[in-house]
């Protein structure tokens, strides 16, 4: 009986550790998404922290008609931290950290982004033309809560065992 061949015609006996490959491909979507979401979270968070650490007079004075009302910057804070919270939650859910206990994950989902937002607001005390505003932090926290909730909802829909094709 001829020996079974693998990729490129090499005998399967040469493929040591192929069972590891099969185990790792058991969840191919998570394996692809985990590094992408982690990198996305890192890049988005770096962008948010960089923009918020930039002196106010260094940023372009662009006004958008739909953001031309008092405290409209809170919408920007909400959007920025929606991304920070949502991407962090999604990255943890599909990574190997997803094996943590549910209680531990919930604490991580909330505390890590809230800590980043607090450090960001406090850092603005040292940035010319900026200030630490409790309402900005509140907008950050609401954005984080919405982002985490959205990530949990999407994760449940995408990776649900009851999902039908």
């Amino acid at each position: 009986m001829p020996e079974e061949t693998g990729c490129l015609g090499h005998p399967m006996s040469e493929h040591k550790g192929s069972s590891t490959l099969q185990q790792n491909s058991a969840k191919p979507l998570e394996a692809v998404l985990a590094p992408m979401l982690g990198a996305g979270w890192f890049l988005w968070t770096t962008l948010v922290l960089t923009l918020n650490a930039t002196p106010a007079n260094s940023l372009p004075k662009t006004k958008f008609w739909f953001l031309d009302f008092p405290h409209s910057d809170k919408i920007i804070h909400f959007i920025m931290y929606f991304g920070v919270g949502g991407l962090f939650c999604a990255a943890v859910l599909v990574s190997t950290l997803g094996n943590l206990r549910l209680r531990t994950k919930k604490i991580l989902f909330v505390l890590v982004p809230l800590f980043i937002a607090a450090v960001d607001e406090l850092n603005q005390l040292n940035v010319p033309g900026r200030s630490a505003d409790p309402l900005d932090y509140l907008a950050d926290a609401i954005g984080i809560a919405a982002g985490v909730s959205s990530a949990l909802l999407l994760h449940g829909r995408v990776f649900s065992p009851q999902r039908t094709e």
Side-chain angles (χ1 to χ4, degrees), residues 84-105:
V84 171
L87 286 170
F88 180 75
C89 177
V92 170
L93 283 170
V94 299
S95 73
T96 55
L97 293 175
N99 295 329
L100 294 173
R101 290 182 20 206
L102 183 60
R103 183 170 186 236
T104 305
K105 286 191 285 189

Side-chain angles (χ1 to χ4, degrees), residues 2-16:
E3 187 173 2
E4 188 178 342
T5 59
C7 62
L8 303 175
H10 295 287
M12 288 298 284
S13 60
E14 291 180 17
H15 293 278
K16 294 187 181 2

Side-chain angles (χ1 to χ4, degrees), residues 60-80:
K61 302 285 185 228
T62 306
K63 282 282 189 186
F64 297 103
W65 62 269
F66 55 89
L67 291 176
D68 193 19
F69 57 89
H71 303 293
S72 60
D73 67 310
K74 306 314 179 243
I75 294 172
I76 304 299
H77 279 268
F78 174 88
I79 292 168
M80 289 190 304

Side-chain angles (χ1 to χ4, degrees), residues 48-49 52 77-85 116-117 120 140 143-144:
V48 167
L49 294 175
N52 287 336
H77 279 268
F78 174 88
I79 292 168
M80 289 190 304
Y81 278 92
F82 180 95
V84 171
I116 292 169
D120 183 25
D140 297 346
I144 289 166

